[in-house]
Amino acid sequence: MWASEELAELSSRGLRRFLEPLESPQGPVVRIGGETLVNFASNDYLGLASSLSVRAAAISALEGLGVGTGASRLVVGDTEIHQRLEARLASFERSEAALLFNSGYAANVGTLQSLVGPQDVVFSDSLNHASLIDGCRLSRARVVVYPHCDVAALDAALASTPARRRLVVTDTVFSMDGDHAPLRELVSLCRSHRAALLVDEAHATGVLGSRGAGLCEELGLEDAVDIRMGTLSKALGGLGAYICSSRSVVELVLNRARPLVFSTALPAALCAAAEAAVDLVEFDDSLRARLWRNIRRFSEGLRALGLPAEPRSAIFPVILGEPESALEASRALRSEGLLVKAIRPPTVPVGTSRLRFCLSAAHSEGHVDMALDALRRLGIRR
Ligand SMILES: *Cc1c(COP(=O)(O)O)cnc(C)c1O
């Protein structure tokens, strides 16, 4: 087999990846490799992954209904908890209907593949998440990639690319840069060109909007976007994802999405955990307020160090260029007691390898200052 040659090739380019098991629960401070580190690598933005009330909800469903679901939801894997969670998510997102998936990856792949096919065109932002890219590929639609957040380029592409059906897809908060899609402009372009719009709120759910429903909520665009996808795996601290849309879109996707039809349903315990997490996200502003205090503190600190930073989301990239530079900076931060991951191609474009800091409501001001102090002491910059 050729696997070892390929691995050697990845290693030589600084692109090899390794697993490292956590020796503690997910949290602002974790044990890993025998070390205690302040964790800036997790997407658990509100600290709900280890929340006691979320755990209690999961345990109670686990005790009542067991672990496995036995089959896909369309066979015998559906429960009242799944349906209750979908109704809860639809009310949280103020949409007509919601549909659960086992992961955000599955949601994007399944939804795209259900809605467009070989006679259609998908217009996709160049920095969209891999799950949207894979969804485009598996849909077999023609894919037009437009430059990152370039509304004029998208306008021109829409004007010059006729098709049976046209769908624009974008992250709302970009996963490796933390910036926002120009959502108002995208909505108006889609209206004027009669295209549909699908947005991925993975890093906005729980973080943006006064109730935590995402960038669409923050901008009052819930009804203007055809399909909104959110995750249960990041700020909601669990696993799974959902789309929100009209009843007919949800019914169609339920009938067609291969990750739903051909995959076993999410365990009820995870649905119960998500229900408890949505309640905390929607009704407990204090979590989001703490997260945003940390975001503002960190962004001011980065700017004071001469690093570009805007308080737009919980994600802060420090772009360093080559994979080796990012790995070296990550190792140096680790020796200062900080867990900050090096993000390299193909997750980000070649030449933009970076450190990616993720902030959480569970971080103290002291944790945030530790990261800023370490960056200053180590003189990390491009
Ligand atoms: C993490 C992520 C996903 C995938 O979600 P999972 O639940 O982890 O599978 C999809 N889209 C974006 C933008 C993401 O960051």
Side-chain angles (χ1 to χ4, degrees):
M1 273 294 288
W2 45 84
S4 47
E5 287 161 41
E6 294 283 333
L7 286 171
E9 148 81 5
L10 284 176
S11 296
S12 74
R13 292 160 58 209
L15 297 180
R16 180 105 177 246
R17 301 175 189 223
F18 297 95
L19 291 171
E20 244 194 323
L22 238 63
E23 295 145 8
S24 68
Q26 197 61 235
V29 177
V30 291
R31 292 270 318 156
I32 190 165
E35 292 176 298
T36 300
L37 301 171
V38 182
N39 178 11
F40 288 99
S42 174
N43 303 312
D44 178 24
Y45 299 125
L46 298 175
L48 296 183
S50 314
S51 142
L52 293 181
S53 60
V54 173
R55 282 187 210 204
I59 290 167
S60 147
L62 191 66
E63 284 176 343
L65 291 166
V67 180
T69 49
S72 87
R73 288 183 72 197
L74 291 157
V75 178
V76 73
D78 194 28
T79 69
E80 282 182 353
I81 296 191
H82 291 80
Q83 305 229 355
R84 213 170 61 211
L85 176 57
E86 285 175 339
R88 180 69 186 89
L89 290 167
S91 92
F92 171 54
E93 296 280 0
R94 301 201 165 137
S95 74
E96 198 174 300
L99 181 64
L100 274 175
F101 283 85
N102 293 4
S103 71
Y105 186 96
N108 283 339
V109 166
T111 303
L112 278 159
Q113 164 252 318
S114 300
L115 293 178
V116 288
Q119 299 171 62
D120 308 322
V121 179
V122 182
F123 300 84
S124 174
D125 188 286
S126 62
L127 293 188
N128 275 347
H129 189 262
S131 56
L132 289 173
I133 297 172
D134 293 358
C136 288
R137 290 178 181 157
L138 284 168
S139 76
R140 293 146 77 203
R142 186 175 154 209
V143 183
V144 174
V145 176
Y146 61 90
H148 181 52
C149 291
D150 189 335
V151 175
L154 175 60
D155 189 12
L158 282 162
S160 63
T161 315
R164 182 181 68 162
R165 290 171 184 147
R166 304 188 304 166
L167 178 66
V168 174
V169 301
T170 185
D171 289 14
T172 57
V173 169
F174 287 87
S175 55
M176 298 300 136
D177 292 84
D179 58 335
H180 295 184
L183 211 51
R184 285 187 220 284
E185 290 85 345
L186 295 182
V187 162
S188 88
L189 270 190
C190 287
R191 278 203 185 121
S192 63
H193 289 285
R194 298 173 164 278
L197 179 59
L198 183 162
V199 305
D200 175 336
E201 298 251 50
H203 296 278
T205 311
V207 173
L208 295 176
S210 62
R211 292 177 304 106
L215 185 61
C216 294
E217 188 214 334
E218 182 153 308
L219 301 177
L221 294 173
E222 292 107 316
D223 296 333
V225 172
D226 299 281
I227 304 126
R228 290 176 278 143
M229 173 274 197
T231 51
L232 306 176
S233 53
K234 288 171 177 153
L236 283 113
L239 185 71
Y242 57 94
I243 58 162
C244 295
S245 191
S246 63
R247 173 78 42 207
S248 57
V249 166
V250 161
E251 284 291 322
L252 179 66
V253 175
L254 174 65
N255 275 270
R256 281 206 180 142
R258 295 171 70 86
L260 272 184
V261 177
F262 299 110
S263 195
T264 300
L266 209 58
L270 289 169
C271 298
E275 257 191 303
V278 172
D279 281 349
L280 289 174
V281 163
E282 184 167 8
F283 303 126
D284 183 357
D285 302 347
S286 70
L287 286 174
R288 216 162 12 264
R290 277 217 297 279
L291 172 63
W292 278 94
R293 273 202 295 280
N294 286 338
I295 290 172
R296 282 189 294 271
R297 188 177 188 88
F298 193 57
S299 102
E300 280 161 21
L302 286 178
R303 282 207 302 271
L305 293 174
L307 292 162
E310 291 296 326
R312 302 161 302 191
S313 70
I315 302 162
F316 289 90
V318 175
I319 296 177
L320 297 170
E322 293 313 306
E324 287 81 1
S325 321
L327 286 169
E328 194 190 325
S330 170
R331 277 192 297 267
L333 287 166
R334 188 154 172 161
S335 66
E336 303 274 328
L338 304 170
L339 184 64
V340 186
K341 286 289 179 160
I343 310 288
R344 297 160 285 164
T347 310
V348 292
V350 171
T352 70
S353 287
R354 66 195 66 190
L355 295 168
R356 175 176 180 265
F357 287 86
C358 292
L359 297 188
S360 164
H363 286 130
S364 65
E365 288 187 353
H367 294 145
V368 175
D369 292 347
M370 243 180 102
L372 292 166
D373 288 345
L375 283 167
R376 177 182 321 113
R377 255 200 319 281
L378 296 167
I380 290 175
R381 57 184 55 253
R382 185 155 194 177

